[in-house]
Amino acid sequence: MSDLELWYKTPAAEWTDALPLGNGRLGAMVFGGVPRDEFQLNEDTLWSGGPYQPANQDARAHLDTVREHIFAGRYAQAQSLANQHLMGRPYLEMSYQPAGHLYLDVAHDALFENYRRSLDLDTAVTRTVYQSDGVAFRRDAFVSAADGLLVVRISADAPGAVNVGVELTSPQHGISSADPDGIVRFAGHNRSEHGVDGALRFAMRAKVQAEGGTKSVVGAQLRVSDADSVLILLDIATSFVRYDDVSGDPEMSIDARMDAAGGKSFDTLLRAHIAEHQCLFRRMGIDLGRTESADLPTNERIAGFAEGDDPALASLYVQYGRYLMITSSRPGTQPSTLQGIWNKETRPPWGSKYTTNINLQMNYWLPDRANLAACFEPVLALLEDIAVTGQVMAQSHYGARGWVLHHNTDLWRATGPVDGAQWGLWPTGGAWICAQAWEHVAYEGFPAKLVTRLYPILKGAAEFFVDTLVELPGTSHLVTNPSLSPENVHPMGASICAGPAMDSQILRDLFDATIAAAGRLGVDRELVETLGATRDRLPEDRIGAAGQLQEWLEDWDMDVPEIHHRHVSHLYGLYPSHQITAEETPALFDAARRSLEIRGDDATGWGIGWRINLWARLRDGDHAHDVLRRLLHPERSYTNLFDAHPPFQIDGNFGGAAGILEMIVQSSEKGIRLLPALPGCWPAGSLQGMRVYGGIELDMAWSRGKVTALCLTSQADRDVVVAVGDAMQTFKLAAGVSTDCVIA
């Protein structure tokens, strides 16, 4: 039994019991049923609708009036007017869609024994084994990044024992068919939504190869009888080329991958798949200790974590987060949605899209720290797209230069305010992604090529706010207006407002990133001066009467309708930003703690994930672990370890995994801090291959809460400050040399 395995004694009864496979483009949820197995299928470019631009030509004419209402304190009136005139058209975006199902109808006695269903994170292979009527059956499945296909093998320990029907179905419009030569197909097109016509053609194809036995067709099902084993290769493709081009040929795409893989044996496909997966997965290891609980089925471990002693489940959770990142986000694919690449609903919760007021960002807190930098590439590609589509929105809605993204986007890179002014009229989503992308550059060690690629995007985002920030009456401060503190209603009966704390915090990071990138490239000195002056006029963070960090310019925090609101937006400056620290801003640091105490620990799955990171930054490891117990609990984690928002949202997985690492190691441009929030229940452990700021790789071990070994490997010659508690040491690192650092 591997400590990198999820396993169960029964088949999946629900979608959230099934086990996820993926290669960033294709996704499959494996149920492991006995008489009928199900693989629920997704492809990352199958969304509703088609190319569209939700610009509202009516918006700009009403912008100043909404601003006036807000500055005059007429918030409800401003929000009502904004709903009528400032929202995108359509005011809802497109949704991520399921492709369909691969069904395997296995013809044998439904009675079975010795059942085991598992997912090995190290190999990214699911396995279902059981015995029926004295025969041992086995199903192995993986989605290969090397060959681009879902591969399924059904085998038995008796010759001629495999009898299976193979069928493809889809909730999308189209036709299923099967050929006696071993091909099962579905050809169709996507659905229209919110007045945007479906513009995508798509296809699914399964190639069924049998050792021995015979094939026949009944309706749309291919039946294999009396075979020794069956190998299924499956692919899905759409006509999507990019957000404004749907001219692709899905059948041709499938042909190319099938032809390349068609002559390969299962073992050859498996070896290539494992090698490709492990070149990413094995870059980092974590050990937080092990108890007998680690030998239990995964569902039993989740049920007992809150009350028991199972540090290995926390380690597994980190590695599961890394696995989900590798399988849902690779170079050349779409970014991970609210549900990664796994979605069964044609009308999924919140469209299963890219929500940018926390959720997309939280999806990508993990990869840099977890030595998966390549998995961040789809976010950079998305930024390049929305920096183009967002120009139309900036000009039509605000009359501004640059580009803007509000609180959501989709496959078609829509950037307008959607869902209603209470949630959507927030112009800072793109700025937050830019700040996070600059942190990615920092983790990579500021490579010139990456700085050059990102700078035009940063510049456009910054120019938008130079043009749209307005002076707060009676002050010299510049604020966003209209905006909101996601998605919180303030005591004046609306969420819409001017200058919420989060906006100023994000814009400080955006302007700092743009200034730093321009400095590295030696360009745009005049813009740098403008950004510096604009940054200086942003309102400073404020401390309210209850000792809390204020969420708004006004001291409203204690009178809000939802004092335990899921969002903790005003604490962005503490995490993921580094603006609030114990050493440099102690009063704000204490105020952030007070805010978090007031807001409370119970929240949605992703809200708990954010709180773990915040308590880690507050250096309270035992409290952070208490919050982790809320996440690794049947109310917040499904049996397959998917985050239960509820319903499933993958950001809780990524946020929780990042939070565990944040408890052990924190880093910034100031240096590295070891064991800043180590809970008492993890007295000994180790990390291998964790990444920190500056392109440094870290190996570490600790015992009895003390660092016993530290090795740092830097990409460049540099000095680095390492802090443990109140003690600080400086180490000289040579490029490419692993340096053992003795902690005094």
Side-chain angles (χ1 to χ4, degrees):
M1 182 183 299
S2 167
D3 282 345
L4 290 170
E5 188 179 55
L6 282 65
W7 73 279
Y8 309 85
K9 294 181 179 180
T10 59
E14 305 289 343
W15 187 86
T16 47
D17 300 325
L19 295 170
L21 297 172
N23 64 3
R25 184 182 66 85
L26 288 180
M29 295 292 287
V30 186
F31 282 67
V34 174
R36 175 172 245 217
D37 203 354
E38 175 182 348
F39 293 73
Q40 188 270 312
L41 304 171
N42 288 95
E43 202 273 354
D44 72 337
T45 64
L46 183 56
W47 289 61
S48 62
Y52 75 107
Q53 174 57 265
N56 177 3
Q57 301 306 319
D58 190 36
R60 187 174 171 187
H62 293 85
L63 177 62
D64 286 342
T65 304
V66 171
R67 284 172 168 166
E68 290 169 6
H69 284 319
I70 291 171
F71 280 146
R74 297 186 293 269
Y75 299 101
Q77 191 170 346
Q79 190 160 294
S80 176
L81 187 64
N83 270 319
Q84 295 176 55
H85 297 290
L86 299 193
M87 305 311 294
R89 298 290 185 268
Y91 78 99
L92 297 172
E93 290 180 344
M94 303 303 107
S95 58
Y96 182 46
Q97 293 289 297
H101 298 83
L102 168 68
Y103 287 113
L104 306 178
D105 289 314
V106 184
H108 58 51
D109 192 335
L111 297 176
F112 58 93
E113 58 186 356
N114 299 324
Y115 180 94
R116 192 175 193 274
R117 174 173 62 99
S118 62
L119 167 62
D120 186 334
L121 303 182
D122 187 47
T123 62
V125 175
T126 61
R127 179 167 296 162
T128 303
V129 295
Y130 58 92
Q131 289 179 306
S132 179
D133 198 22
V135 178
F137 290 89
R138 172 171 159 174
R139 297 181 208 142
D140 298 277
F142 56 89
V143 177
S144 172
D147 289 286
L149 305 173
L150 167 64
V151 180
V152 182
R153 183 178 67 172
I154 309 166
S155 58
D157 67 353
V162 176
N163 295 275
V164 60
V166 181
E167 185 174 3
L168 288 171
T169 69
S170 176
Q172 309 297 331
H173 304 288
I175 298 174
S176 298
S177 62
D179 298 332
D181 58 357
I183 301 297
V184 183
R185 294 185 172 87
F186 181 90
H189 61 88
N190 71 330
R191 56 190 291 266
S192 303
E193 194 166 25
H194 307 313
V196 179
D197 291 338
L200 288 172
R201 293 174 294 116
F202 88 102
M204 299 189 289
R205 189 190 310 169
K207 181 178 181 181
V208 183
Q209 302 168 288
E211 275 191 39
T214 60
K215 298 179 186 138
S216 60
V217 172
V218 178
Q221 185 180 84
L222 176 72
R223 292 185 178 176
V224 179
S225 303
D226 304 323
D228 298 334
S229 67
V230 171
L231 177 65
I232 302 170
L233 306 180
L234 183 142
D235 196 9
I236 310 171
T238 79
S239 59
F240 179 86
V241 177
R242 60 175 234 161
Y243 63 87
D244 58 356
D245 185 348
V246 292
S247 65
D249 186 333
E251 295 287 355
M252 185 177 296
S253 298
I254 292 174
D255 284 343
R257 285 186 287 268
M258 286 288 193
D259 290 347
K264 299 178 182 179
S265 68
F266 173 80
D267 289 341
T268 298
L269 292 165
L270 178 64
R271 283 194 299 270
H273 158 71
I274 291 175
E276 179 68 20
H277 174 72
Q278 289 180 344
C279 76
L280 288 175
F281 186 79
R282 289 190 170 182
R283 290 181 180 179
M284 201 202 87
I286 180 172
D287 180 3
L288 298 175
R290 193 182 195 282
T291 65
E292 291 182 357
S293 297
D295 296 326
L296 296 173
T298 306
N299 55 307
E300 295 181 26
R301 296 175 71 183
I302 297 167
F305 183 80
E307 305 301 330
D309 180 20
D310 190 1
L313 185 59
S315 301
L316 181 69
Y317 198 78
V318 172
Q319 293 289 34
Y320 188 54
R322 297 182 71 248
Y323 169 86
L324 294 175
M325 178 53 56
I326 294 167
T327 52
S328 69
S329 183
R330 281 175 168 266
T333 73
Q334 297 298 311
S336 184
T337 75
L338 284 174
Q339 298 182 173
I341 53 170
W342 302 281
N343 165 43
K344 66 173 181 174
E345 306 287 351
T346 55
R347 298 188 182 277
W350 301 284
S352 189
K353 48 189 188 295
Y354 305 114
T355 302
T356 56
N357 64 13
I358 176 58
N359 311 97
L360 177 62
Q361 290 88 344
M362 186 180 287
N363 278 6
Y364 287 90
W365 285 351
L366 183 64
D368 285 312
R369 294 160 176 81
N371 212 340
L372 297 174
C375 295
F376 196 87
E377 169 61 29
V379 178
L380 298 177
L382 179 142
L383 268 176
E384 289 172 325
D385 289 346
I386 61 177
V388 176
T389 61
Q391 290 180 21
V392 176
M393 192 60 54
Q395 180 59 39
S396 61
H397 280 228
Y398 297 92
R401 296 173 299 161
W403 62 273
V404 63
L405 169 66
H406 295 80
H407 93 301
N408 258 297
T409 189
D410 56 18
L411 179 73
W412 312 109
R413 304 313 190 235
T415 63
V418 294
D419 296 340
Q422 178 176 334
W423 301 277
L425 198 56
W426 183 67
T428 327
W432 186 349
I433 302 174
C434 283
Q436 186 166 354
W438 186 247
E439 183 176 69
H440 169 71
V441 174
Y443 270 91
E444 288 288 270
F446 301 100
K449 184 176 181 180
L450 198 51
V451 175
T452 301
R453 178 183 179 187
L454 188 58
Y455 178 67
I457 300 170
L458 295 173
K459 178 180 178 180
E463 286 178 331
F464 171 80
F465 288 100
V466 168
D467 287 359
T468 58
L469 289 173
V470 291
E471 193 169 276
L472 184 66
T475 77
S476 62
H477 293 313
L478 294 175
V479 296
T480 50
N481 183 7
S483 189
L484 51 91
S485 187
E487 301 164 359
N488 204 359
V489 176
H490 54 68
M492 299 298 106
S495 61
I496 201 166
C497 66
M502 184 187 221
D503 283 8
S504 295
Q505 293 169 357
I506 289 173
L507 293 183
R508 281 193 281 272
D509 278 351
L510 172 65
F511 293 160
D512 286 348
T514 309
I515 290 168
R520 287 181 175 273
L521 298 175
V523 298
D524 290 333
R525 291 183 181 178
E526 189 173 319
L527 175 63
V528 166
E529 291 179 3
T530 298
L531 294 181
T534 304
R535 186 197 192 283
D536 290 343
R537 295 180 64 187
L538 295 170
E540 296 181 351
D541 290 316
R542 302 178 179 191
I543 299 175
Q548 89 286 2
L549 191 71
Q550 288 184 196
E551 186 162 357
W552 297 273
L553 293 170
E554 299 80 0
D555 191 358
W556 287 334
D557 298 67
M558 302 306 295
D559 298 316
V560 293
E562 292 184 71
I563 200 164
H564 302 304
H565 197 268
R566 60 197 176 275
H567 284 261
V568 281
S569 303
H570 52 311
L571 302 187
Y572 167 93
L574 177 64
Y575 185 95
S577 184
H578 301 272
Q579 295 174 37
I580 298 174
T581 67
E583 288 75 22
E584 296 183 352
T585 58
L588 295 178
F589 187 81
D590 291 341
R593 174 185 289 272
R594 180 64 184 134
S595 284
L596 197 54
E597 291 170 347
I598 293 168
R599 192 57 55 93
D601 294 332
D602 198 20
T604 57
W606 61 261
I608 291 174
W610 197 350
R611 284 157 172 80
I612 295 170
N613 285 277
L614 289 165
W615 282 111
R617 282 282 170 91
L618 290 169
R619 302 178 191 171
D620 192 334
D622 288 330
H623 198 141
H625 191 270
D626 286 344
V627 182
L628 177 63
R629 290 180 189 273
R630 294 174 181 265
L631 188 63
L632 281 171
H633 185 280
E635 292 182 359
R636 287 290 177 262
S637 290
Y638 293 111
T639 59
N640 66 359
L641 273 178
F642 271 176
D643 166 56
H645 176 285
F648 163 55
Q649 278 190 201
I650 203 168
D651 38 29
N653 288 100
F654 293 137
I660 292 169
L661 295 181
E662 195 73 14
M663 294 160 72
I664 301 168
V665 176
Q666 296 173 14
S667 70
S668 71
E669 62 183 7
K670 304 292 184 182
I672 304 166
R673 183 168 291 276
L674 306 180
L675 307 182
L678 187 72
C681 56
W682 300 342
S686 63
L687 277 173
Q688 303 84 39
M690 184 176 175
R691 286 288 292 270
V692 296
Y693 261 60
I696 298 171
E697 195 166 301
L698 176 151
D699 298 335
M700 181 180 70
W702 67 94
S703 180
R704 298 181 181 179
K706 305 292 184 183
V707 177
T708 57
L710 176 67
C711 181
L712 301 175
T713 305
S714 175
Q715 299 175 2
D717 294 345
R718 61 175 299 150
D719 293 347
V720 62
V721 176
V722 176
V724 182
D726 294 330
M728 302 179 70
Q729 296 174 252
T730 301
F731 297 98
K732 290 186 176 296
L733 306 181
V737 177
S738 296
T739 303
D740 290 320
C741 305
V742 178
I743 301 297

